[in-house]
Amino acid sequence: MKLERFEGVWTALVTPFNRKGEIDFEGLEKNLQFQIANGANLVPTGTTGESPTLDWREHDRVISRVVKMAKGKAFVIAGTGSNSTKEALRGTKHAVEVGAEGALLVDCYYNGPSSLELRTQYYEVIAKAFRKICVVPYIIPGRTGTKLEVEDLAILHRKFKNVRAVKEATGDLDRMAKTRILCGEDFDILSGDDDKTFEMMTRSDIRASGVISVMSNIVPGAIGEMVRAILKGEMERANALKEILDPLFKVVTVNTIESYEGFEVPTKFRNPLPIKTMMKGLGLPAGPCRPPLGKMTPKGVEVVRNALKAVYEKDKEVLRPIQDFYRINVEERLTNDRYWK
């Protein structure tokens, strides 16, 4: 298989853990089978896969397992980014050796290099070292505190044929339109935010070609159908699916006000905690998050549970693939409190 364009749905895979906090490889394989059966391409060891708390040996094992199972069936972009160029080179080398088609490289977090440094001391170093693999910059300043500017992205694309896509999670639509102008038509823009995908794909000055999705961990088929409908110009169907899926798109991150120790405290439950909470409640392999991520409060759990209920009430068929593949009763899972404690 050869990756011609970055289109469609790419699932930002969760990394399932057991109660001891070890990787649940049996659960991972089950989830991979579900994703492949529903037409998704795969992105292991990204933010959703809890890459900050995986050591490099665990990174390698997850990527190896995903590539092996996906061979000939789905494409894999492996998360190999770091705030150390040396570490990113090491991780990307392994991904190349096992057969991943792409490497997702997040901007260098915390040490916060400038855009110029990101390009010359990080992305160019890796793109030059591994010309046979597609290098996909991942721009998410809300997590990293820095960002590759569009001009430097355009220079990268001009200098290296293997830099031909970006994962855009800035939320800045004007920036994305600028990316389309400076990088041209042979460059693919992928949404990094489920709730921005529809607008990014339908805006004529952006023309995104797909999404690296969190919510496709549970509804890869429906999100894939929505994306394909947009690409084909079948807007009636695309709009209908967006309306059904919208409650899920809004809970990738969950904000609540929590009361404890005599205080009212704003609380933000960030990805992957909401998606793992949903998967666990539905009966899919997910397990806990690794500390410092913990458990959602009852308020937070109610938000994600209600989002699933809203989707189920709008169109039961959207969640049927989960029911059929994992042999669960979705309605019972959604209505029985014991699954959500």
Side-chain angles (χ1 to χ4, degrees):
M1 293 174 71
K2 186 181 178 184
L3 183 55
E4 300 291 349
R5 300 299 298 251
F6 290 85
E7 289 184 338
V9 169
W10 300 73
T11 298
L13 295 163
V14 305
T15 303
F17 298 118
N18 60 27
R19 290 182 180 179
K20 294 180 180 179
E22 301 161 337
I23 296 173
D24 172 13
F25 283 103
E26 185 177 337
L28 175 64
E29 290 194 0
K30 185 76 171 175
N31 291 343
L32 287 170
Q33 289 167 359
F34 174 65
Q35 291 296 322
I36 292 167
N38 283 276
N41 291 309
L42 309 168
V43 183
T45 60
T47 308
T48 309
E50 296 177 74
S51 59
T53 58
L54 297 178
D55 64 38
W56 279 105
R57 182 173 171 272
E58 290 174 321
H59 265 83
D60 292 351
R61 292 184 68 197
V62 170
I63 291 167
S64 295
R65 193 71 60 98
V66 172
V67 171
K68 184 178 180 181
M69 287 198 66
K71 190 171 183 179
K73 302 170 186 173
F75 293 111
V76 178
I77 305 175
T80 61
S82 173
N83 60 351
S84 160
T85 300
K86 183 179 179 181
E87 284 189 359
L89 280 165
R90 177 235 170 271
T92 306
K93 181 174 184 289
H94 170 266
V96 170
E97 288 172 348
V98 298
E101 285 84 10
L104 184 71
L105 298 171
V106 68
D107 285 345
C108 301
Y109 41 89
Y110 192 75
N111 48 15
S114 66
S115 180
L116 175 62
E117 291 165 312
L118 279 169
R119 174 169 62 81
T120 61
Q121 305 301 314
Y122 181 59
Y123 288 114
E124 285 191 1
V125 174
I126 297 164
K128 185 177 180 181
F130 305 105
R131 291 181 182 270
K132 291 183 179 180
I133 197 171
C134 295
V135 170
V136 182
Y138 174 17
I139 321 298
I140 183 165
R143 295 260 189 179
T144 63
T146 189
K147 63 181 175 184
L148 184 72
E149 296 293 348
V150 176
E151 291 83 356
D152 283 302
L153 179 60
I155 293 166
L156 270 172
H157 179 49
R158 190 188 307 158
K159 291 176 70 173
F160 297 95
K161 290 182 179 179
N162 56 334
V163 182
R164 51 190 180 87
V166 65
K167 179 182 178 183
E168 247 292 353
T170 64
D172 184 345
L173 296 167
D174 290 336
R175 173 197 160 96
M176 299 173 205
K178 185 178 179 182
T179 300
R180 175 58 64 213
I181 292 168
L182 294 187
C183 293
E185 293 301 319
D186 65 336
F187 189 83
D188 295 320
I189 300 171
L190 291 169
S191 169
D193 294 305
D194 277 300
D195 63 343
K196 297 285 191 300
T197 303
F198 190 89
E199 189 171 6
M200 286 174 65
M201 292 190 71
T202 54
R203 265 186 58 161
S204 61
D205 57 348
I206 298 173
R207 300 186 299 284
S209 56
V211 57
I212 296 179
S213 171
V214 174
M215 285 300 152
S216 62
N217 277 282
I218 53 176
V219 284
I223 297 177
E225 187 182 349
M226 183 190 80
V227 167
R228 286 191 300 275
I230 297 170
L231 290 172
K232 292 177 182 176
E234 298 170 355
M235 295 313 299
E236 187 176 343
R237 181 57 177 157
N239 276 297
L241 283 162
K242 179 190 179 295
E243 175 65 24
I244 293 164
L245 294 166
D246 214 39
L248 295 182
F249 295 158
K250 291 177 179 175
V251 295
V252 173
T253 297
V254 172
N255 293 287
T256 64
I257 303 293
E258 299 296 335
S259 303
Y260 51 82
E261 304 289 339
F263 298 104
E264 298 285 311
V265 185
T267 306
K268 178 182 280 192
F269 297 110
R270 300 184 76 169
N271 178 44
L273 192 52
I275 186 65
K276 275 199 155 183
T277 301
M278 283 188 271
M279 290 174 73
K280 191 174 179 182
L282 287 168
L284 279 62
C289 290
R290 278 185 173 171
L293 297 184
K295 291 183 178 180
M296 296 187 84
T297 59
K299 279 186 184 178
V301 171
E302 196 65 14
V303 170
V304 298
R305 186 181 176 188
N306 284 340
L308 282 166
K309 285 180 178 178
V311 171
Y312 189 71
E313 286 166 9
K314 288 180 180 183
D315 189 346
K316 292 180 172 59
E317 292 304 307
V318 168
L319 295 175
R320 185 172 295 279
I322 294 175
Q323 179 161 297
D324 293 344
F325 186 87
Y326 291 96
R327 300 183 185 281
I328 57 171
N329 185 321
V330 168
E331 187 165 342
E332 197 238 336
R333 283 270 172 178
L334 291 177
T335 54
N336 194 323
D337 291 344
R338 73 185 178 94
Y339 297 117
W340 301 92
K341 289 180 180 177

